[in-house]
Amino acid sequence: VQLVESGGGSVQAGGSLRLSCARTGYKSSNYLLAWFRQAPGKEREGVAALDSAGNINYADSVRGRFTISQDNAENIIYLQMNTLRPEDTAMYFCANRMGWAPFKNYSDFLWGETYWGQGTQVTVS
């Protein structure tokens, strides 16, 4: 399984970006997908997740501004980010946890069969 993120960049506060994560490889019937971010000097944090049952979760800091979705046909995971703030500046990673659902906690991605992308930088000024 490989995950490749794209769509990051620099944007002014209040602007929007859409991140994409192209996924290749096998797919289990139960799975979790998520976007995480990590700012310099801070721990990696989960911002949005969805599972194979269609459940969706957002961190409080992004709820109402970010939207996670997936295109099953193209095997792409998206993160639409609106009303961006300087505190959203971070490296954004997508993650795929196999054989586990429904989503309970972002720590579900810290064990088991989990794959990560290389990240895409988002800078909001």
Side-chain angles (χ1 to χ4, degrees), residues 7-19 37 61-62 64-66 79-90 92 121-125:
S10 296
V11 64
Q12 290 189 336
S16 298
L17 283 173
R18 189 177 78 160
L19 305 184
R37 66 186 181 188
S61 58
V62 306
R65 300 187 298 122
F66 290 12
L79 185 67
Q80 177 67 44
M81 306 186 296
N82 299 327
T83 321
L84 283 161
R85 304 167 179 169
E87 54 263 39
D88 295 318
T89 295
Y92 284 71
Q121 178 67 38
V122 172
T123 302
V124 185
S125 59

Side-chain angles (χ1 to χ4, degrees), residues 42-62:
K42 294 189 177 181
E43 292 187 354
R44 189 171 296 191
E45 63 171 349
V47 296
L50 62 84
D51 64 29
S52 48
N55 300 301
I56 292 178
N57 178 275
Y58 295 102
D60 290 343
S61 58
V62 306

Side-chain angles (χ1 to χ4, degrees), residues 6-123:
S6 61
S10 296
V11 64
Q12 290 189 336
S16 298
L17 283 173
R18 189 177 78 160
L19 305 184
S20 299
C21 174
R23 186 189 172 287
T24 57
Y26 86 99
K27 195 172 188 178
S28 59
S29 55
N30 293 323
Y31 61 85
L32 305 177
L33 298 169
W35 286 94
F36 285 73
R37 66 186 181 188
Q38 187 167 19
K42 294 189 177 181
E43 292 187 354
R44 189 171 296 191
E45 63 171 349
V47 296
L50 62 84
D51 64 29
S52 48
N55 300 301
I56 292 178
N57 178 275
Y58 295 102
D60 290 343
S61 58
V62 306
R63 188 174 293 112
R65 300 187 298 122
F66 290 12
T67 302
I68 186 172
S69 62
Q70 65 170 330
D71 182 328
N72 278 318
E74 297 293 332
N75 221 356
I76 299 175
I77 307 135
Y78 297 103
L79 185 67
Q80 177 67 44
M81 306 186 296
N82 299 327
T83 321
L84 283 161
R85 304 167 179 169
E87 54 263 39
D88 295 318
T89 295
M91 184 72 79
Y92 284 71
F93 301 87
C94 65
N96 182 190
R97 166 75 194 277
M98 298 295 198
W100 190 260
F103 173 84
K104 296 182 177 63
N105 194 291
Y106 288 99
S107 62
D108 291 342
F109 291 84
L110 300 182
W111 58 284
E113 186 182 358
T114 301
Y115 300 92
W116 295 85
Q118 83 291 345
T120 186
Q121 178 67 38
V122 172
T123 302

